[in-house]
Amino acid sequence: MFTTRPELIGTFGVVTTTHWLGSAVGMSILEKGGNAFDAAVATGFALQVVEPHLNGPGGDMPVIFQPAGAQAPEVLCGQGPIPAAASLQKFAELELDLIPGSGLLCAVVPGAFDAWMLLLRDHGTMTLSEVLGPAISYARDGYPVVPRITATIDTVRKLFETEWKTSADIYLPGGRPPAPGTIFRNPAMARTYEKIVRESEGIKGNREKQIEHARNIWYRGWVAEKIDKFCRTQEVMDVSGRRHKGLLTGEDMDSWEATYDTPLTYNYGDYTVCKCGPWSQGPVLLQQLAILDGMGVGSMDPTGPDFVHAAVEAAKLAFADREAYYGDPDFIDIPMDKLLSSAYNAERRALITQQASSKLIPGKIDGYLGSIDKAIDDRSGLTAAASMGVGEPTVAKTGVSTGDTVHLDIIDRFGNMVSCTPSGGWLQSSPIIPELGFCLGNRGQMFWLDEKSPSALVPGKRPRTTLSPSLALKDGKPYMVFGTPGGDQQDQWSTLMFLHHADHGMNLQEAIDCPAFHTDHFPSSFWPRSYLPKKVVLEGRFPVSTVTELKRRGHDIDVSEPWSEGRLTGASRDGAILKAAANARGMQGYAAGR
């Protein structure tokens, strides 16, 4: 099969991310003697700087990883909860039926920093200054602007000029977005991280105590104080077309910390695939595999109608269960054993016919089925623009601009492997806090304002995140880490990559480059929660015969650009041999290794 670049092979270490600078940073840490966790932390902070339209310090993240010699993989949850002041009653008083997708009302506790610090403290070897050094350098001295940064800023330019003026101060230098290829700086963010490093490494104590001091600065010290003050004093325009103050407080930040979790798993052939729990959408990948298991997808042409139809119909069923059952397990009981069982998924598989399903059909589990009525009542068939009533003018006025995500996968020579999908805190999510140089995230928009939903808003609850890194064992041994940005599409594209590798025999680069697709046949996790029944988006590289047959089966087909679906990366370990690959789409992602 034609590939855009070779699958990299080495023995020392591999790093693959959604931006070449992130991959370079990660590889430089390995070369300096750091392990995969040191490299992941340094890479994650660097990506906050060089991809500010896709993630930031005010965002969140999950990590799935396996230390060398450990008995099993682990998950680290860096998804912060909704503030204590956020409630169904509060939003009813504000006369809102959806949580706005931008501004301050959707801000949750920024979880990424604490998760990075715990990963560094418990599994890394390097100091704060060593892992934060590259990010500080890029923020202080500058980095080259990629075209999507310019395009994103241009989309919200009018909002920045008229409402979010602290954002304009950074992202509209000279009154215009920075041009692609020019060098851009964020000195305020550099000063924030420099001060954290200086104060933390200035105390007496070892590396672990210095990391703990940094955590305290962020969640109980001057960083938390500035976030608290900004949310209390600033009225910010959001997608509702009105200005609102934030609900996030210093008390919310003080009462939270990142936590370790046990991954959910599904055995598929020789593989055991591991995902984050139902506080994420991760289990939908496992459910798709459980539904497809035994359907013979390995014998299907990966660009043929049978494979596309099977994968799409399985995704529809799995995502329907996401809407009906998933949420924060600290607040609701979720029947994951049932949802991943062979018997249950045999029943789900039996619903797949030769025709495209037109309805959202969750499985029925006695005593558990939540409400998805509000998710689909009056949004069926609406695009995001139609739901808003107008298109681009609303974007300019209120900041509606689809955010995205970054991703990294790293394996070192010792056998440590880590996969992480940081996101949130996009430059377009809320105004810059001027003293800090970054903005808050908007993950709160994923809650439903419907008490019957498993994703209903409850004070202190984690939103059900779309962020979804993956790890797979092969023959019981740690084998592969992979993932992609893409919101609701993450666990569709990752499923395709895994199937192409495990069933179709493709190497990592072939699996990434293979023509991809996704369906929008379920409510979006993002404001305004659009729902497009039977919609399937195919890359333009699919054969005409495939498109024709899928239409005959009843799918609503949208043929997109030839290289437009996914931003996957992946790395694997087979004995001493390490391999890595990255997505060519968008001309940013690269793997590095030797």
Side-chain angles (χ1 to χ4, degrees), residues 141-462:
D141 304 325
Y143 61 91
V145 173
V146 295
R148 286 306 306 165
I149 293 178
T150 305
T152 300
I153 297 172
D154 196 53
T155 300
V156 290
R157 177 177 179 173
K158 192 169 295 185
L159 172 72
F160 283 11
E161 291 173 337
T162 59
E163 296 284 347
W164 296 6
K165 296 184 179 181
T166 57
S167 296
D169 290 342
I170 289 179
Y171 288 108
L172 293 175
R176 60 177 62 88
T182 60
I183 300 300
F184 181 77
R185 299 169 179 84
N186 186 340
M189 187 188 295
R191 288 192 294 270
T192 294
Y193 280 139
E194 285 174 327
K195 186 177 179 182
I196 290 173
V197 169
R198 184 170 61 250
E199 293 183 2
S200 299
E201 295 193 345
I203 68 167
K204 292 183 178 180
N206 58 19
R207 187 185 74 97
E208 288 74 19
K209 288 184 179 180
Q210 293 172 353
I211 293 170
E212 285 302 302
H213 192 78
R215 296 176 72 201
N216 283 325
I217 289 173
W218 194 276
Y219 293 94
R220 286 161 284 281
W222 52 266
V223 173
E225 290 169 1
K226 293 183 186 305
I227 290 173
D228 178 286
K229 180 181 178 181
F230 193 82
C231 289
R232 280 188 293 104
T233 61
Q234 301 301 306
E235 288 194 338
V236 170
M237 176 67 73
D238 58 41
V239 294
S240 71
R242 290 181 279 157
R243 298 177 183 86
H244 295 103
K245 292 182 179 180
L247 303 174
L248 182 63
T249 68
E251 287 78 10
D252 293 314
M253 297 189 64
D254 181 36
S255 63
W256 178 85
E257 63 179 22
T259 53
Y260 288 103
D261 198 3
T262 301
L264 294 174
T265 64
Y266 182 77
N267 294 325
Y268 186 88
D270 296 333
Y271 299 86
T272 300
V273 184
C274 309
K275 298 291 291 186
C276 301
W279 48 268
S280 76
Q281 70 174 9
V284 296
L285 187 151
L286 305 180
Q287 285 191 269
Q288 288 171 88
L289 294 180
I291 293 168
L292 292 168
D293 208 352
M295 290 183 68
V297 295
S299 64
M300 299 176 185
D301 177 356
T303 63
D306 290 342
F307 177 77
V308 177
H309 179 79
V312 165
E313 294 304 300
K316 290 179 181 179
L317 295 169
F319 277 88
D321 280 346
R322 181 192 75 168
E323 293 305 308
Y325 296 107
Y326 292 16
D328 186 346
D330 291 342
F331 286 77
I332 60 170
D333 187 17
I334 304 162
M336 284 311 310
D337 288 345
K338 178 77 170 179
L339 289 168
L340 296 180
S341 69
S342 296
Y344 176 80
N345 286 292
E347 296 174 0
R348 303 296 277 153
R349 189 183 309 120
L351 297 175
I352 299 176
T353 69
Q354 286 299 305
Q355 287 299 115
S357 172
S358 62
K359 295 182 179 180
L360 196 66
I361 309 173
K364 295 181 179 179
I365 302 176
D366 291 343
Y368 284 95
L369 186 61
S371 170
I372 59 172
D373 294 340
K374 190 174 181 64
I376 61 174
D377 56 1
D378 60 357
R379 289 182 170 79
S380 178
L382 294 183
T383 64
S387 299
M388 290 185 286
V390 291
E392 202 65 24
T394 297
V395 172
K397 177 183 178 183
T398 61
V400 181
S401 178
T402 302
D404 205 340
T405 301
V406 301
H407 185 81
L408 62 93
D409 298 300
I410 302 176
I411 305 177
D412 64 27
R413 66 189 185 278
F414 311 110
N416 299 303
M417 57 178 61
V418 57
S419 181
C420 181
T421 314
S423 187
W426 312 310
L427 64 87
Q428 65 273 29
S429 61
S430 65
I432 293 290
I433 301 172
E435 302 95 331
L436 300 177
F438 63 83
C439 58
L440 296 173
N442 56 0
R443 192 68 56 181
Q445 66 181 295
M446 295 184 169
F447 286 109
W448 286 101
L449 299 178
D450 174 9
E451 63 183 5
K452 295 180 181 179
S453 170
S455 293
L457 173 65
V458 177
K461 187 178 182 181
R462 288 174 290 182

Side-chain angles (χ1 to χ4, degrees), residues 465-477:
T465 181
T466 53
L467 305 176
S468 192
S470 304
L471 186 150
L473 312 177
K474 187 176 183 181
D475 298 324
K477 298 178 181 178

Side-chain angles (χ1 to χ4, degrees), residues 110-135:
F113 187 85
D114 203 51
W116 285 131
M117 291 297 101
L118 282 182
L119 194 68
L120 181 65
R121 184 195 70 185
D122 298 341
H123 299 283
T125 65
M126 288 185 159
T127 63
L128 282 170
S129 56
E130 287 174 313
V131 298
L132 274 165

Side-chain angles (χ1 to χ4, degrees), residues 11-14 30-31 33-35 411-416 573 578:
T11 58
F12 176 79
V14 289
L30 295 183
E31 296 286 3
N35 66 18
I411 305 177
D412 64 27
R413 66 189 185 278
F414 311 110
N416 299 303
R573 181 175 188 259
L578 306 179

